[in-house]
Amino acid sequence: MSLSPDDLDAIWLTLRLATTVTLLLLILATPIAWWLAKTDSWLKVPIGALVALPLVLPPTVLGFYLLVLMGPNGSIGEFTKALGLGTLPFTFSGLVIASMIYSLPFVVQPIQNAIQSIGDRPIEVAATLGAGPVDRFFSVVLPLAKPGFVTATILGFAHTVGEFGIVLMIGGSIPKETRVVSIQIYDHVEALQYGNAHFLAAIMLGFSFIVLLGLYGFQRKRSGEGLHYGR
Amino acid sequence: MVDEPSDIEQQIINARFQLMLTNKINGSFALDVEFSVPSEGVTAIFGESGSGKTTLLRCIAGLQKSNPAFLSFNGEVWQDRAIFKATHRRSIGYVFQEPSLFEHLTVMGNLSYAIKRASNKLNNTFYSQVIDVMGINDLLGQGTNQLSGGEKQRVAIARALLLQPKLLLMDEPLASLDVKRKLEILPYLEKLRASFGIPVFYVTHSVDEIMRLADRVIILEAGKLVNQGNVSELFSNINFPVQSRDDIGIVLDCNILEVDEQWQLMKVAFNGGQLWLPKRRDELSNSQCRLRILASDISVTLEAQRDTSILNQLPAEVIETVPEETWATTLLKVKTGDTILLARITNKSLSQLALSSGKKVWIQVKSAAIIR
């Protein structure tokens, strides 16, 4: 038993999706995390709750709303059509956007916690040493919050690899476009190809275990820093 | 509102800050301070905790927003209604209360952080001087968590100096250290004062630190400036609010006139007379020193004494008698030359010598501590 070309396509697509989503999320989540860590605004609580929503919401609910919004009659759909981009559901781009929303809390929260645990003092010290805001971020915040960023990267990537419901709702099962590993396993099972399903499922199991092993090992080494998921 | 300085070249710091802080734990706090001090030497900002010392220092640094506010340094406006120079654009060095080294950098990395961002290129002589005065040459290669609290604070001071700021702000740099470490760092601060001609604002609640380091003091109480003046003037004031009974005395800035090697004595002159004192270390004639004379170390006689072991007798005039109610004693304010001294005598002596304002007396100074 070995991987079929379809299986390999699914694995490749999954890796491409997870990498794209993680990179985009790090760029998007950092300012959100910064704002949540620093603000005194009353908006902090509602925005924080909004960011955390995907933690508790069934992926199908999120996927359903996105499907409606991004569909030809939804507001986002109208907008993307007006831009000449067509509609997003059942495309790789649509999947990237949905995955970003779904994995957002897993990236925002570790970064937010890391920034909070640094406190204001090192940033003030840097300012008194002549460092401007951008300089302060790269010379002080980033190195001190590194454990948070590493945790965020690992969790964002792993969580995107592991999603299913939202892909099913918004992506369907289009080879090389939206058929990721979890969908491929589902398709194998539906077709009663248990052998193929076993093989892919075992790979996912091994991957997930190794990722968490690496993450916990990293957190243990840096105990007291970043965030401790699952403990 | 402080008038904008007319002379651009004047060496003066003008400041005015007004702000209200509200905090769930401490309630609200208002700072309302206006002052003008020469931009040289050490200006201590003194007060109890919660009096707004640190807030004032943070305003000067631009770390705390204040409105309305005015701040000018040697004629250069750092803050007014329209201008707010951000902290990183103010030519300041800041030493925080607790040692605040960057933990992700080594000692050398911390120093380089400042050197890279300094307004002027570093000159090697200056660098060696800073390292030398702060005594941190042996620490350069170490990580910051290997250092003791005192060592960290010395590195933090060196880091602030290497930025080559025009103004150094120090927020109780000794407060987080135990007594032994304090005594270890004070000499470095004294050397800093003597070696670099940089004006310093020094926040403290320690009278001892003020006497050893400061030239002038700004006293804050509940966010308001209640008194301001030269150290020697303030300590001659009986009402100076911070002295305990045993510590009441005055501070004199003196010139060393001559050093007598035979008897290990030195003669100092102050604004009102001369005193002989045991020399303490390698004092040089023509240098400055600061003395502290406690009220309990001055006694009063009506006639000049002969055959006394006390070296120092000065003619003086009683200015005021202040009874100390809880004890059977009275504080005498006596004037010699332009200087006011304080003497503590028993109420019995007061009555027997019939002392009152205007009476001419002789004072005997039993001892004086050289504090700087």
Side-chain angles (χ1 to χ4, degrees), chain A residues 121-122 124-133 135-136 139-140 143-144, chain B residues 58 63 87-88 92 94 96 98 100 102-104 113-114 117 159-160 163:
Chain A
R121 185 44 55 85
E124 288 184 353
V125 171
T128 66
L129 292 171
D135 186 1
R136 293 200 285 270
S139 65
V140 175
L144 286 175
Chain B
R58 290 174 61 84
L63 291 171
T87 301
H88 65 278
I92 53 158
Y94 198 112
F96 289 84
E98 69 288 342
S100 300
F102 293 128
E103 287 170 16
H104 63 292
Y113 194 97
R117 291 164 177 83
R159 185 177 63 177
L163 203 61

PDB file of all heavy atoms in Angstrom, chain A residues 121-122 124-133 135-136 139-140 143-144, chain B residues 58 63 87-88 92 94 96 98 100 102-104 113-114 117 159-160 163:
ATOM      1  N   ARG A 121       7.625  48.026  30.619  1.00  0.00           N
ATOM      2  CA  ARG A 121       8.936  48.522  31.019  1.00  0.00           C
ATOM      3  C   ARG A 121      10.034  48.395  29.948  1.00  0.00           C
ATOM      4  O   ARG A 121      10.648  49.402  29.596  1.00  0.00           O
ATOM      5  CB  ARG A 121       9.366  47.859  32.332  1.00  0.00           C
ATOM      6  CG  ARG A 121      10.679  48.376  32.941  1.00  0.00           C
ATOM      7  CD  ARG A 121      10.833  49.899  32.938  1.00  0.00           C
ATOM      8  NE  ARG A 121       9.760  50.627  33.563  1.00  0.00           N
ATOM      9  CZ  ARG A 121       9.669  50.870  34.863  1.00  0.00           C
ATOM     10  NH1 ARG A 121      10.585  50.426  35.674  1.00  0.00           N
ATOM     11  NH2 ARG A 121       8.672  51.564  35.333  1.00  0.00           N
ATOM     12  N   PRO A 122      10.267  47.174  29.369  1.00  0.00           N
ATOM     13  CA  PRO A 122      11.334  47.091  28.367  1.00  0.00           C
ATOM     14  C   PRO A 122      11.094  48.030  27.183  1.00  0.00           C
ATOM     15  O   PRO A 122      12.044  48.556  26.606  1.00  0.00           O
ATOM     16  CB  PRO A 122      11.289  45.626  27.914  1.00  0.00           C
ATOM     17  CG  PRO A 122      10.645  44.901  29.021  1.00  0.00           C
ATOM     18  CD  PRO A 122       9.647  45.864  29.615  1.00  0.00           C
ATOM     19  N   GLU A 124       9.521  50.954  27.347  1.00  0.00           N
ATOM     20  CA  GLU A 124       9.876  52.302  27.808  1.00  0.00           C
ATOM     21  C   GLU A 124      11.388  52.473  27.870  1.00  0.00           C
ATOM     22  O   GLU A 124      11.922  53.520  27.490  1.00  0.00           O
ATOM     23  CB  GLU A 124       9.285  52.553  29.201  1.00  0.00           C
ATOM     24  CG  GLU A 124       7.786  52.745  29.189  1.00  0.00           C
ATOM     25  CD  GLU A 124       7.237  53.085  30.577  1.00  0.00           C
ATOM     26  OE1 GLU A 124       7.992  53.042  31.568  1.00  0.00           O
ATOM     27  OE2 GLU A 124       6.047  53.383  30.655  1.00  0.00           O
ATOM     28  N   VAL A 125      12.067  51.436  28.351  1.00  0.00           N
ATOM     29  CA  VAL A 125      13.527  51.506  28.424  1.00  0.00           C
ATOM     30  C   VAL A 125      14.092  51.754  27.021  1.00  0.00           C
ATOM     31  O   VAL A 125      14.943  52.620  26.824  1.00  0.00           O
ATOM     32  CB  VAL A 125      14.111  50.201  29.011  1.00  0.00           C
ATOM     33  CG1 VAL A 125      15.627  50.187  28.888  1.00  0.00           C
ATOM     34  CG2 VAL A 125      13.718  50.048  30.465  1.00  0.00           C
ATOM     35  N   ALA A 126      13.571  50.995  26.043  1.00  0.00           N
ATOM     36  CA  ALA A 126      14.057  51.161  24.668  1.00  0.00           C
ATOM     37  C   ALA A 126      13.801  52.584  24.178  1.00  0.00           C
ATOM     38  O   ALA A 126      14.643  53.179  23.505  1.00  0.00           O
ATOM     39  CB  ALA A 126      13.382  50.136  23.757  1.00  0.00           C
ATOM     40  N   ALA A 127      12.645  53.141  24.538  1.00  0.00           N
ATOM     41  CA  ALA A 127      12.339  54.513  24.110  1.00  0.00           C
ATOM     42  C   ALA A 127      13.327  55.497  24.718  1.00  0.00           C
ATOM     43  O   ALA A 127      13.817  56.402  24.035  1.00  0.00           O
ATOM     44  CB  ALA A 127      10.904  54.886  24.502  1.00  0.00           C
ATOM     45  N   THR A 128      13.657  55.303  26.010  1.00  0.00           N
ATOM     46  CA  THR A 128      14.613  56.225  26.629  1.00  0.00           C
ATOM     47  C   THR A 128      16.015  56.027  26.059  1.00  0.00           C
ATOM     48  O   THR A 128      16.872  56.877  26.225  1.00  0.00           O
ATOM     49  CB  THR A 128      14.702  56.048  28.167  1.00  0.00           C
ATOM     50  OG1 THR A 128      15.248  54.765  28.461  1.00  0.00           O
ATOM     51  CG2 THR A 128      13.348  56.194  28.824  1.00  0.00           C
ATOM     52  N   LEU A 129      16.242  54.888  25.395  1.00  0.00           N
ATOM     53  CA  LEU A 129      17.553  54.664  24.782  1.00  0.00           C
ATOM     54  C   LEU A 129      17.555  55.093  23.318  1.00  0.00           C
ATOM     55  O   LEU A 129      18.435  54.726  22.546  1.00  0.00           O
ATOM     56  CB  LEU A 129      17.958  53.199  24.910  1.00  0.00           C
ATOM     57  CG  LEU A 129      18.256  52.761  26.346  1.00  0.00           C
ATOM     58  CD1 LEU A 129      18.444  51.253  26.442  1.00  0.00           C
ATOM     59  CD2 LEU A 129      19.497  53.468  26.876  1.00  0.00           C
ATOM     60  N   GLY A 130      16.518  55.843  22.922  1.00  0.00           N
ATOM     61  CA  GLY A 130      16.521  56.444  21.593  1.00  0.00           C
ATOM     62  C   GLY A 130      15.895  55.592  20.500  1.00  0.00           C
ATOM     63  O   GLY A 130      16.045  55.900  19.323  1.00  0.00           O
ATOM     64  N   ALA A 131      15.205  54.504  20.858  1.00  0.00           N
ATOM     65  CA  ALA A 131      14.596  53.650  19.841  1.00  0.00           C
ATOM     66  C   ALA A 131      13.178  54.123  19.519  1.00  0.00           C
ATOM     67  O   ALA A 131      12.359  54.286  20.420  1.00  0.00           O
ATOM     68  CB  ALA A 131      14.574  52.204  20.312  1.00  0.00           C
ATOM     69  N   GLY A 132      12.892  54.341  18.241  1.00  0.00           N
ATOM     70  CA  GLY A 132      11.549  54.715  17.804  1.00  0.00           C
ATOM     71  C   GLY A 132      10.629  53.503  17.822  1.00  0.00           C
ATOM     72  O   GLY A 132      11.067  52.389  18.103  1.00  0.00           O
ATOM     73  N   PRO A 133       9.326  53.690  17.529  1.00  0.00           N
ATOM     74  CA  PRO A 133       8.348  52.607  17.681  1.00  0.00           C
ATOM     75  C   PRO A 133       8.675  51.347  16.872  1.00  0.00           C
ATOM     76  O   PRO A 133       8.580  50.239  17.409  1.00  0.00           O
ATOM     77  CB  PRO A 133       7.042  53.242  17.178  1.00  0.00           C
ATOM     78  CG  PRO A 133       7.247  54.711  17.272  1.00  0.00           C
ATOM     79  CD  PRO A 133       8.716  54.963  17.129  1.00  0.00           C
ATOM     80  N   ASP A 135      11.623  50.419  15.585  1.00  0.00           N
ATOM     81  CA  ASP A 135      12.872  49.919  16.157  1.00  0.00           C
ATOM     82  C   ASP A 135      12.588  49.140  17.449  1.00  0.00           C
ATOM     83  O   ASP A 135      13.108  48.040  17.660  1.00  0.00           O
ATOM     84  CB  ASP A 135      13.779  51.133  16.431  1.00  0.00           C
ATOM     85  CG  ASP A 135      15.181  50.746  16.886  1.00  0.00           C
ATOM     86  OD1 ASP A 135      15.448  49.536  16.972  1.00  0.00           O
ATOM     87  OD2 ASP A 135      15.993  51.653  17.145  1.00  0.00           O
ATOM     88  N   ARG A 136      11.699  49.699  18.300  1.00  0.00           N
ATOM     89  CA  ARG A 136      11.372  49.044  19.573  1.00  0.00           C
ATOM     90  C   ARG A 136      10.750  47.672  19.338  1.00  0.00           C
ATOM     91  O   ARG A 136      11.049  46.714  20.032  1.00  0.00           O
ATOM     92  CB  ARG A 136      10.395  49.903  20.391  1.00  0.00           C
ATOM     93  CG  ARG A 136      10.975  51.208  20.875  1.00  0.00           C
ATOM     94  CD  ARG A 136      10.177  51.752  22.051  1.00  0.00           C
ATOM     95  NE  ARG A 136       8.888  52.326  21.689  1.00  0.00           N
ATOM     96  CZ  ARG A 136       8.696  53.600  21.366  1.00  0.00           C
ATOM     97  NH1 ARG A 136       9.711  54.430  21.321  1.00  0.00           N
ATOM     98  NH2 ARG A 136       7.488  54.045  21.075  1.00  0.00           N
ATOM     99  N   SER A 139      13.618  45.336  17.943  1.00  0.00           N
ATOM    100  CA  SER A 139      14.803  45.127  18.775  1.00  0.00           C
ATOM    101  C   SER A 139      14.464  44.626  20.173  1.00  0.00           C
ATOM    102  O   SER A 139      15.324  44.070  20.850  1.00  0.00           O
ATOM    103  CB  SER A 139      15.619  46.422  18.879  1.00  0.00           C
ATOM    104  OG  SER A 139      14.890  47.414  19.561  1.00  0.00           O
ATOM    105  N   VAL A 140      13.233  44.824  20.614  1.00  0.00           N
ATOM    106  CA  VAL A 140      12.893  44.431  21.992  1.00  0.00           C
ATOM    107  C   VAL A 140      11.685  43.492  22.050  1.00  0.00           C
ATOM    108  O   VAL A 140      11.765  42.388  22.590  1.00  0.00           O
ATOM    109  CB  VAL A 140      12.616  45.681  22.855  1.00  0.00           C
ATOM    110  CG1 VAL A 140      12.149  45.271  24.243  1.00  0.00           C
ATOM    111  CG2 VAL A 140      13.872  46.532  22.966  1.00  0.00           C
ATOM    112  N   PRO A 143      12.208  39.893  19.997  1.00  0.00           N
ATOM    113  CA  PRO A 143      13.058  38.908  20.686  1.00  0.00           C
ATOM    114  C   PRO A 143      12.501  38.445  22.032  1.00  0.00           C
ATOM    115  O   PRO A 143      12.593  37.259  22.362  1.00  0.00           O
ATOM    116  CB  PRO A 143      14.388  39.636  20.894  1.00  0.00           C
ATOM    117  CG  PRO A 143      14.286  40.953  20.257  1.00  0.00           C
ATOM    118  CD  PRO A 143      12.935  41.129  19.682  1.00  0.00           C
ATOM    119  N   LEU A 144      11.892  39.356  22.785  1.00  0.00           N
ATOM    120  CA  LEU A 144      11.383  38.953  24.101  1.00  0.00           C
ATOM    121  C   LEU A 144      10.120  38.104  23.983  1.00  0.00           C
ATOM    122  O   LEU A 144       9.839  37.279  24.836  1.00  0.00           O
ATOM    123  CB  LEU A 144      11.121  40.184  24.982  1.00  0.00           C
ATOM    124  CG  LEU A 144      12.363  40.887  25.538  1.00  0.00           C
ATOM    125  CD1 LEU A 144      11.990  42.161  26.281  1.00  0.00           C
ATOM    126  CD2 LEU A 144      13.154  39.968  26.454  1.00  0.00           C
TER     127      LEU A 144
ATOM    128  N   ARG B  58       8.764  61.030  34.894  1.00  0.00           N
ATOM    129  CA  ARG B  58       8.237  60.435  33.658  1.00  0.00           C
ATOM    130  C   ARG B  58       7.705  61.509  32.716  1.00  0.00           C
ATOM    131  O   ARG B  58       7.770  61.365  31.498  1.00  0.00           O
ATOM    132  CB  ARG B  58       7.143  59.414  33.989  1.00  0.00           C
ATOM    133  CG  ARG B  58       7.678  58.148  34.648  1.00  0.00           C
ATOM    134  CD  ARG B  58       6.551  57.224  35.090  1.00  0.00           C
ATOM    135  NE  ARG B  58       5.727  56.787  33.975  1.00  0.00           N
ATOM    136  CZ  ARG B  58       6.035  55.758  33.185  1.00  0.00           C
ATOM    137  NH1 ARG B  58       7.097  55.056  33.424  1.00  0.00           N
ATOM    138  NH2 ARG B  58       5.252  55.429  32.187  1.00  0.00           N
ATOM    139  N   LEU B  63       7.480  60.015  29.036  1.00  0.00           N
ATOM    140  CA  LEU B  63       6.841  58.704  29.184  1.00  0.00           C
ATOM    141  C   LEU B  63       5.414  58.859  29.698  1.00  0.00           C
ATOM    142  O   LEU B  63       4.599  57.960  29.605  1.00  0.00           O
ATOM    143  CB  LEU B  63       7.634  57.832  30.164  1.00  0.00           C
ATOM    144  CG  LEU B  63       9.008  57.372  29.686  1.00  0.00           C
ATOM    145  CD1 LEU B  63       9.771  56.700  30.827  1.00  0.00           C
ATOM    146  CD2 LEU B  63       8.877  56.418  28.517  1.00  0.00           C
ATOM    147  N   THR B  87       9.605  60.479  23.586  1.00  0.00           N
ATOM    148  CA  THR B  87      10.719  60.095  24.466  1.00  0.00           C
ATOM    149  C   THR B  87      12.005  59.824  23.689  1.00  0.00           C
ATOM    150  O   THR B  87      13.072  60.298  24.064  1.00  0.00           O
ATOM    151  CB  THR B  87      10.323  58.840  25.254  1.00  0.00           C
ATOM    152  OG1 THR B  87       9.159  59.134  26.006  1.00  0.00           O
ATOM    153  CG2 THR B  87      11.435  58.415  26.191  1.00  0.00           C
ATOM    154  N   HIS B  88      11.887  59.047  22.583  1.00  0.00           N
ATOM    155  CA  HIS B  88      13.114  58.659  21.885  1.00  0.00           C
ATOM    156  C   HIS B  88      13.762  59.825  21.144  1.00  0.00           C
ATOM    157  O   HIS B  88      14.858  59.692  20.638  1.00  0.00           O
ATOM    158  CB  HIS B  88      12.851  57.484  20.947  1.00  0.00           C
ATOM    159  CG  HIS B  88      11.911  57.783  19.816  1.00  0.00           C
ATOM    160  ND1 HIS B  88      10.547  57.769  19.961  1.00  0.00           N
ATOM    161  CD2 HIS B  88      12.145  58.116  18.532  1.00  0.00           C
ATOM    162  CE1 HIS B  88       9.983  58.071  18.807  1.00  0.00           C
ATOM    163  NE2 HIS B  88      10.920  58.290  17.930  1.00  0.00           N
ATOM    164  N   ILE B  92      17.801  62.388  26.505  1.00  0.00           N
ATOM    165  CA  ILE B  92      17.825  62.027  27.920  1.00  0.00           C
ATOM    166  C   ILE B  92      18.414  60.637  28.120  1.00  0.00           C
ATOM    167  O   ILE B  92      18.403  59.808  27.212  1.00  0.00           O
ATOM    168  CB  ILE B  92      16.402  62.002  28.528  1.00  0.00           C
ATOM    169  CG1 ILE B  92      15.494  61.117  27.681  1.00  0.00           C
ATOM    170  CG2 ILE B  92      15.847  63.402  28.667  1.00  0.00           C
ATOM    171  CD1 ILE B  92      14.294  60.604  28.412  1.00  0.00           C
ATOM    172  N   TYR B  94      17.800  57.600  31.092  1.00  0.00           N
ATOM    173  CA  TYR B  94      16.843  57.343  32.173  1.00  0.00           C
ATOM    174  C   TYR B  94      17.293  56.087  32.903  1.00  0.00           C
ATOM    175  O   TYR B  94      17.518  55.050  32.295  1.00  0.00           O
ATOM    176  CB  TYR B  94      15.444  57.143  31.567  1.00  0.00           C
ATOM    177  CG  TYR B  94      14.293  57.300  32.544  1.00  0.00           C
ATOM    178  CD1 TYR B  94      13.429  58.369  32.434  1.00  0.00           C
ATOM    179  CD2 TYR B  94      14.066  56.365  33.553  1.00  0.00           C
ATOM    180  CE1 TYR B  94      12.352  58.527  33.304  1.00  0.00           C
ATOM    181  CE2 TYR B  94      13.005  56.520  34.436  1.00  0.00           C
ATOM    182  CZ  TYR B  94      12.151  57.598  34.303  1.00  0.00           C
ATOM    183  OH  TYR B  94      11.086  57.758  35.169  1.00  0.00           O
ATOM    184  N   PHE B  96      15.965  53.530  35.645  1.00  0.00           N
ATOM    185  CA  PHE B  96      14.721  53.168  36.326  1.00  0.00           C
ATOM    186  C   PHE B  96      15.009  52.665  37.734  1.00  0.00           C
ATOM    187  O   PHE B  96      16.137  52.301  38.069  1.00  0.00           O
ATOM    188  CB  PHE B  96      13.983  52.089  35.530  1.00  0.00           C
ATOM    189  CG  PHE B  96      13.389  52.614  34.246  1.00  0.00           C
ATOM    190  CD1 PHE B  96      14.158  52.709  33.101  1.00  0.00           C
ATOM    191  CD2 PHE B  96      12.073  53.024  34.199  1.00  0.00           C
ATOM    192  CE1 PHE B  96      13.615  53.198  31.921  1.00  0.00           C
ATOM    193  CE2 PHE B  96      11.521  53.512  33.024  1.00  0.00           C
ATOM    194  CZ  PHE B  96      12.291  53.604  31.883  1.00  0.00           C
ATOM    195  N   GLU B  98      14.020  49.891  39.322  1.00  0.00           N
ATOM    196  CA  GLU B  98      14.561  48.543  39.368  1.00  0.00           C
ATOM    197  C   GLU B  98      15.452  48.373  38.138  1.00  0.00           C
ATOM    198  O   GLU B  98      15.177  48.955  37.106  1.00  0.00           O
ATOM    199  CB  GLU B  98      13.447  47.493  39.411  1.00  0.00           C
ATOM    200  CG  GLU B  98      12.616  47.327  38.165  1.00  0.00           C
ATOM    201  CD  GLU B  98      11.663  48.484  37.902  1.00  0.00           C
ATOM    202  OE1 GLU B  98      11.380  49.276  38.836  1.00  0.00           O
ATOM    203  OE2 GLU B  98      11.237  48.625  36.749  1.00  0.00           O
ATOM    204  N   SER B 100      16.766  47.705  34.838  1.00  0.00           N
ATOM    205  CA  SER B 100      15.959  47.323  33.682  1.00  0.00           C
ATOM    206  C   SER B 100      16.845  47.027  32.480  1.00  0.00           C
ATOM    207  O   SER B 100      16.744  47.675  31.457  1.00  0.00           O
ATOM    208  CB  SER B 100      14.965  48.436  33.349  1.00  0.00           C
ATOM    209  OG  SER B 100      14.125  48.661  34.454  1.00  0.00           O
ATOM    210  N   PHE B 102      17.995  44.709  29.300  1.00  0.00           N
ATOM    211  CA  PHE B 102      17.312  43.803  28.381  1.00  0.00           C
ATOM    212  C   PHE B 102      17.828  42.394  28.633  1.00  0.00           C
ATOM    213  O   PHE B 102      19.021  42.125  28.503  1.00  0.00           O
ATOM    214  CB  PHE B 102      17.579  44.199  26.934  1.00  0.00           C
ATOM    215  CG  PHE B 102      16.972  45.519  26.563  1.00  0.00           C
ATOM    216  CD1 PHE B 102      17.745  46.497  25.975  1.00  0.00           C
ATOM    217  CD2 PHE B 102      15.635  45.781  26.795  1.00  0.00           C
ATOM    218  CE1 PHE B 102      17.189  47.714  25.621  1.00  0.00           C
ATOM    219  CE2 PHE B 102      15.070  46.994  26.446  1.00  0.00           C
ATOM    220  CZ  PHE B 102      15.850  47.961  25.857  1.00  0.00           C
ATOM    221  N   GLU B 103      16.910  41.487  28.972  1.00  0.00           N
ATOM    222  CA  GLU B 103      17.336  40.140  29.330  1.00  0.00           C
ATOM    223  C   GLU B 103      17.789  39.336  28.121  1.00  0.00           C
ATOM    224  O   GLU B 103      18.489  38.335  28.258  1.00  0.00           O
ATOM    225  CB  GLU B 103      16.186  39.404  30.033  1.00  0.00           C
ATOM    226  CG  GLU B 103      15.962  39.906  31.442  1.00  0.00           C
ATOM    227  CD  GLU B 103      14.688  39.358  32.033  1.00  0.00           C
ATOM    228  OE1 GLU B 103      14.151  38.373  31.489  1.00  0.00           O
ATOM    229  OE2 GLU B 103      14.216  39.922  33.040  1.00  0.00           O
ATOM    230  N   HIS B 104      17.358  39.751  26.922  1.00  0.00           N
ATOM    231  CA  HIS B 104      17.744  38.968  25.751  1.00  0.00           C
ATOM    232  C   HIS B 104      19.112  39.378  25.222  1.00  0.00           C
ATOM    233  O   HIS B 104      19.569  38.842  24.228  1.00  0.00           O
ATOM    234  CB  HIS B 104      16.677  39.080  24.662  1.00  0.00           C
ATOM    235  CG  HIS B 104      16.478  40.472  24.118  1.00  0.00           C
ATOM    236  ND1 HIS B 104      15.932  41.483  24.870  1.00  0.00           N
ATOM    237  CD2 HIS B 104      16.760  41.010  22.918  1.00  0.00           C
ATOM    238  CE1 HIS B 104      15.873  42.590  24.144  1.00  0.00           C
ATOM    239  NE2 HIS B 104      16.382  42.331  22.960  1.00  0.00           N
ATOM    240  N   TYR B 113      23.385  48.634  22.555  1.00  0.00           N
ATOM    241  CA  TYR B 113      22.044  49.120  22.191  1.00  0.00           C
ATOM    242  C   TYR B 113      22.007  50.641  22.296  1.00  0.00           C
ATOM    243  O   TYR B 113      21.467  51.329  21.430  1.00  0.00           O
ATOM    244  CB  TYR B 113      21.011  48.498  23.137  1.00  0.00           C
ATOM    245  CG  TYR B 113      19.573  48.644  22.661  1.00  0.00           C
ATOM    246  CD1 TYR B 113      18.954  47.609  21.976  1.00  0.00           C
ATOM    247  CD2 TYR B 113      18.847  49.813  22.884  1.00  0.00           C
ATOM    248  CE1 TYR B 113      17.657  47.729  21.536  1.00  0.00           C
ATOM    249  CE2 TYR B 113      17.549  49.942  22.441  1.00  0.00           C
ATOM    250  CZ  TYR B 113      16.948  48.891  21.775  1.00  0.00           C
ATOM    251  OH  TYR B 113      15.662  49.027  21.325  1.00  0.00           O
ATOM    252  N   ALA B 114      22.602  51.161  23.373  1.00  0.00           N
ATOM    253  CA  ALA B 114      22.632  52.615  23.561  1.00  0.00           C
ATOM    254  C   ALA B 114      23.634  53.268  22.615  1.00  0.00           C
ATOM    255  O   ALA B 114      23.351  54.310  22.014  1.00  0.00           O
ATOM    256  CB  ALA B 114      22.982  52.945  25.009  1.00  0.00           C
ATOM    257  N   ARG B 117      22.410  53.897  19.164  1.00  0.00           N
ATOM    258  CA  ARG B 117      21.340  54.873  19.009  1.00  0.00           C
ATOM    259  C   ARG B 117      21.712  56.245  19.564  1.00  0.00           C
ATOM    260  O   ARG B 117      20.866  57.134  19.638  1.00  0.00           O
ATOM    261  CB  ARG B 117      20.077  54.344  19.691  1.00  0.00           C
ATOM    262  CG  ARG B 117      19.499  53.148  18.937  1.00  0.00           C
ATOM    263  CD  ARG B 117      18.500  52.367  19.761  1.00  0.00           C
ATOM    264  NE  ARG B 117      17.912  51.271  18.997  1.00  0.00           N
ATOM    265  CZ  ARG B 117      18.483  50.084  18.846  1.00  0.00           C
ATOM    266  NH1 ARG B 117      19.651  49.820  19.382  1.00  0.00           N
ATOM    267  NH2 ARG B 117      17.880  49.142  18.128  1.00  0.00           N
ATOM    268  N   ARG B 159      24.837  52.355  30.650  1.00  0.00           N
ATOM    269  CA  ARG B 159      24.085  52.328  29.394  1.00  0.00           C
ATOM    270  C   ARG B 159      23.461  53.702  29.128  1.00  0.00           C
ATOM    271  O   ARG B 159      23.526  54.211  28.012  1.00  0.00           O
ATOM    272  CB  ARG B 159      22.996  51.249  29.483  1.00  0.00           C
ATOM    273  CG  ARG B 159      22.225  51.032  28.204  1.00  0.00           C
ATOM    274  CD  ARG B 159      21.222  49.906  28.351  1.00  0.00           C
ATOM    275  NE  ARG B 159      20.198  50.219  29.360  1.00  0.00           N
ATOM    276  CZ  ARG B 159      19.163  49.431  29.644  1.00  0.00           C
ATOM    277  NH1 ARG B 159      19.020  48.289  29.000  1.00  0.00           N
ATOM    278  NH2 ARG B 159      18.289  49.777  30.560  1.00  0.00           N
ATOM    279  N   ALA B 160      22.887  54.304  30.170  1.00  0.00           N
ATOM    280  CA  ALA B 160      22.275  55.624  29.999  1.00  0.00           C
ATOM    281  C   ALA B 160      23.328  56.674  29.642  1.00  0.00           C
ATOM    282  O   ALA B 160      23.090  57.547  28.801  1.00  0.00           O
ATOM    283  CB  ALA B 160      21.532  56.025  31.269  1.00  0.00           C
ATOM    284  N   LEU B 163      24.667  56.799  25.953  1.00  0.00           N
ATOM    285  CA  LEU B 163      23.771  57.446  24.999  1.00  0.00           C
ATOM    286  C   LEU B 163      24.175  58.915  24.814  1.00  0.00           C
ATOM    287  O   LEU B 163      23.667  59.592  23.936  1.00  0.00           O
ATOM    288  CB  LEU B 163      22.345  57.343  25.537  1.00  0.00           C
ATOM    289  CG  LEU B 163      21.164  57.436  24.590  1.00  0.00           C
ATOM    290  CD1 LEU B 163      21.214  56.318  23.587  1.00  0.00           C
ATOM    291  CD2 LEU B 163      19.873  57.376  25.384  1.00  0.00           C
TER     292      LEU B 163
END
